Amino acid sequence: MNSSSRHRRLTAAALTVLTVAAGATACGSGSGSSGTHSAGSGTYTIWDPYPQFDKTSAWAQVLDTCGKGAGVKIKRTAFDTSDLTNKALLAAQQGNSPDVLIVDNPVVSTLAEAGVLTTTDDNKIDTSKVDPNLLAAGQSGGKTYGTPIGANTLALYYNKKVLKAAGVDIASIKDWKSLTAALAKVKQAGKKGITFSAIGTEEGSFQFLPWFWGAGAKLTELDSPQGVTALSLWKNWLTKGYAPNSVINNTQTTSWQEFASGDYAFAENGTWQLAAADKGGLDYGVLPIPAAAGGNASAPTGGEFVTVPVQDDTGRYTTSQKLVSCLTGDENLNFTDKTLSYVAPTSTVQAMEKAANPELTPWIAAVKAAKGRTSDDLGTKYPKISEQMWKAVQSALSGSQSPKDAMVAAQAAAAK
């Protein structure tokens, strides 16, 4: 697998991946040799993007337990998400990839196209129980390159106190028309409407996608009437004062801080804010983002895939498969997804989550309707499309272009 063509693909992938991660900084030079191992040794390496968990954490103990079950020792290294991808590409170039790699789902297709990852046909990982819409984020060219460890996505948090004061019944919100009518009532009552992140990075695209997909638009046609309708919705909210101008610079964190002030009726945000919402003392609820004509919009999935990188010693795959099967078994999935505030990727474990915490019900519904950003076989085309999309959002919301002109320009640039 160390051919010159694979080397070229790895180099190209290294350039691509820098545009995928929101706010990614270029990583330093090659210190990625911490995954070095000798074939057939009793130690297997696992790389993950969870540096918040040290070697005494319950997560590290799960890894060790899975190692013992497979009869091997685990050497685990944790990296920041953007750093991990670059290290994985470098390690593949040097021929010392980890045995198991847990990586952010939009990057799977980049690593797959670079020849870094084995397919599930190669490594015999069973994905039959995984929800197809979640598995799609790890598929490229008709092949599957791993299995999701869990998913997060976006929904609308709402402040019950603000809605009550404005006379809004949450059950009345079923589509864009009824949501916009609710925002009008909230403003009329002297409160603030909705906050979200429209910043000029991947976070902005991530937050715009539920509205874009909810209008019926496709990422290959940014300037379709549906795509323009979605951007016009956001622009209209700003023009009418239903959303603040600060959304143009808001990250998902600063947007959440606005909602946490207690003044806003709605905030578009993710499962990762659940702990903060509970601690903040707000009387809140969660509503899946409505599609334009009703029903749940597809929101983009976040979360990681467990993958098996290519090894010169293919005999290692049998043990790697045992490790992955252990990590993604029902009990370990349930534990890990609770730790990470993720929704599980299988109906079986989702039922366990719902039984333990009924408040996850709207999040499970949102994940069932969710979609991978690199799905539809977009793969490494996605980062280029996304960049033009967030630029269009910025142009339209700032008033420098109409939504239609912004999307036309974005499509022309993405198609080059």
Side-chain angles (χ1 to χ4, degrees), residues 61-75:
Q61 288 167 27
V62 168
L63 298 181
D64 288 339
T65 301
C66 286
K68 284 175 187 168
V72 296
K73 286 181 70 175
I74 298 299
K75 182 181 178 184

Side-chain angles (χ1 to χ4, degrees), residues 256-295:
W256 179 259
Q257 289 165 351
E258 288 179 337
F259 181 70
S261 70
D263 294 330
Y264 283 85
F266 295 95
E268 180 184 355
N269 228 298
T271 41
W272 53 90
Q273 301 291 7
L274 277 170
D278 291 334
K279 280 181 192 168
L282 290 177
D283 188 9
Y284 75 93
V286 177
L287 179 73
I289 296 170

Side-chain angles (χ1 to χ4, degrees), residues 18 23-28 82-83 86:
L18 291 174
T25 53
C27 78
S82 57
D83 202 23
N86 293 306

Side-chain angles (χ1 to χ4, degrees), residues 2-18:
N2 291 320
S3 65
S4 60
S5 64
R6 182 164 178 255
H7 189 274
R8 284 196 299 273
R9 282 187 289 159
L10 284 163
T11 304
L15 294 172
T16 300
V17 83
L18 291 174

